[in-house]
Amino acid sequence: MISQARKTLGEMVDRNEHSFYSLSRFDHTGWPVDGCGQAAQVSSPFSYLGHSLTGLTWSILSFALFMSVVLKASATEGLLAAVRPLPAPAFRLQDLEGRNHQLHDYRGRVLIVNFWASWCVPCRRELPSMNRAWTVLKPKGIVMLAINLGDDAEAVKEFLNDFPIDFPVLLDHRGRISQRWQVRGLPTTLVLNRRGEIVYRAVGEREWDDAALLHQLQTLQPESRKLD
């Protein structure tokens, strides 16, 4: 069943004019990059993913890849969608240095949680703007976390050599936290208020350093200070 799903999704990717391939070119490292130039030869998205996604079930992976194709490069723009406040599911994940991070560690602070993967083209386009936003939000006490879906630590470190992320990167090897947080496509970003409730959800890429979006995030701060 899983192999058939992989085959079907692979065929869908090949047919879609906004597919994984048409969204990007591949540089000498094998990572997809925007811009012109000769594309490197690859066999399929699944062979590209296979070496780094140990432990992640193919059913989760296939659905996430399918959603990243459907969302397209420019499918979602603008501000964040408000959701009915719900307590965020607890997590305990390690960063690249092996340190444990728990959701409880960030209670009392506005928290932005971004789910991404190295193979996700929209994720790669989005991360630089998140890094720029981090330089604005960090002094204001807002926390940002990047939870990687499925890559092992060495693959993530290699990726970050070329595409640095200055805020903490956590590893969700088996996709269990992504499932618990109901991540259905990549990138997905959720914003928590200082009560630990999810109040905004963004599926697809955003320009996180956009002035209006930054303002939207910072409006959580005055209200949340009432908790102090």
Side-chain angles (χ1 to χ4, degrees), residues 95-98 152-162 171:
D95 61 23
L96 294 173
E97 286 70 46
D152 61 35
E154 290 306 312
V156 173
K157 289 177 181 178
E158 182 179 351
F159 176 86
L160 296 180
N161 286 335
D162 294 323
L171 303 174

Side-chain angles (χ1 to χ4, degrees), residues 81-95:
V83 297
R84 180 169 61 89
L86 289 172
F91 66 75
R92 181 185 176 92
L93 294 171
Q94 288 189 342
D95 61 23

Side-chain angles (χ1 to χ4, degrees), residues 64 109 149 173:
R109 304 179 71 179
L149 175 59
H173 291 298

Side-chain angles (χ1 to χ4, degrees), residues 3-227:
S3 61
Q4 180 60 38
R6 291 169 59 188
K7 179 180 178 182
T8 301
L9 284 171
E11 291 171 350
M12 291 175 66
V13 169
D14 290 339
R15 290 198 304 266
N16 194 314
E17 66 179 357
H18 296 288
S19 70
F20 185 91
Y21 294 108
S22 63
L23 287 175
S24 64
R25 302 290 185 179
F26 291 80
D27 65 10
H28 66 282
T29 66
W31 298 111
V33 295
D34 292 331
C36 302
Q38 184 65 39
Q41 185 175 2
V42 294
S43 55
S44 73
F46 297 103
S47 63
Y48 170 69
L49 300 174
H51 72 284
S52 60
L53 292 169
T54 56
L56 181 63
T57 63
W58 274 108
S59 58
I60 300 171
L61 170 61
S62 297
F63 191 82
L65 177 59
F66 169 72
M67 287 303 298
S68 72
V69 171
V70 171
L71 287 173
K72 306 180 184 178
S74 58
T76 50
E77 297 176 352
L79 301 182
L80 306 174
V83 297
R84 180 169 61 89
L86 289 172
F91 66 75
R92 181 185 176 92
L93 294 171
Q94 288 189 342
D95 61 23
L96 294 173
E97 286 70 46
R99 295 186 295 260
N100 288 317
H101 295 248
Q102 300 182 73
L103 178 63
H104 183 76
D105 298 337
Y106 303 101
R107 185 63 183 251
R109 304 179 71 179
V110 175
L111 176 63
I112 303 167
V113 182
N114 174 259
F115 289 88
W116 70 286
S118 62
W119 49 265
C120 167
V121 177
C123 301
R124 292 187 62 253
R125 277 197 303 266
E126 176 182 65
L127 284 171
S129 73
M130 296 201 81
N131 219 31
R132 294 190 296 270
W134 170 240
T135 65
V136 176
L137 298 173
K138 181 180 179 181
K140 300 180 183 300
I142 297 177
V143 180
M144 189 177 287
L145 300 175
I147 297 183
N148 177 272
L149 175 59
D151 292 303
D152 61 35
E154 290 306 312
V156 173
K157 289 177 181 178
E158 182 179 351
F159 176 86
L160 296 180
N161 286 335
D162 294 323
F163 308 99
I165 300 174
D166 297 325
F167 50 96
V169 177
L170 310 183
L171 303 174
D172 185 15
H173 291 298
R174 297 182 180 275
R176 292 174 177 171
I177 302 305
S178 304
Q179 281 187 300
R180 196 174 299 165
W181 283 58
Q182 299 183 18
V183 174
R184 298 291 182 264
L186 297 177
T188 289
T189 306
L190 300 109
V191 181
L192 283 59
N193 63 19
R194 292 177 71 180
R195 296 180 178 86
E197 299 168 325
I198 298 172
V199 292
Y200 291 122
R201 181 183 182 90
V203 180
E205 65 188 287
R206 298 290 193 279
E207 289 294 331
W208 288 91
D209 57 342
D210 176 82
L213 197 153
L214 287 172
H215 175 74
Q216 188 178 18
L217 292 169
Q218 292 174 73
T219 58
L220 292 173
Q221 289 286 62
E223 177 186 357
S224 61
R225 288 197 185 101
K226 297 175 184 177
L227 295 174

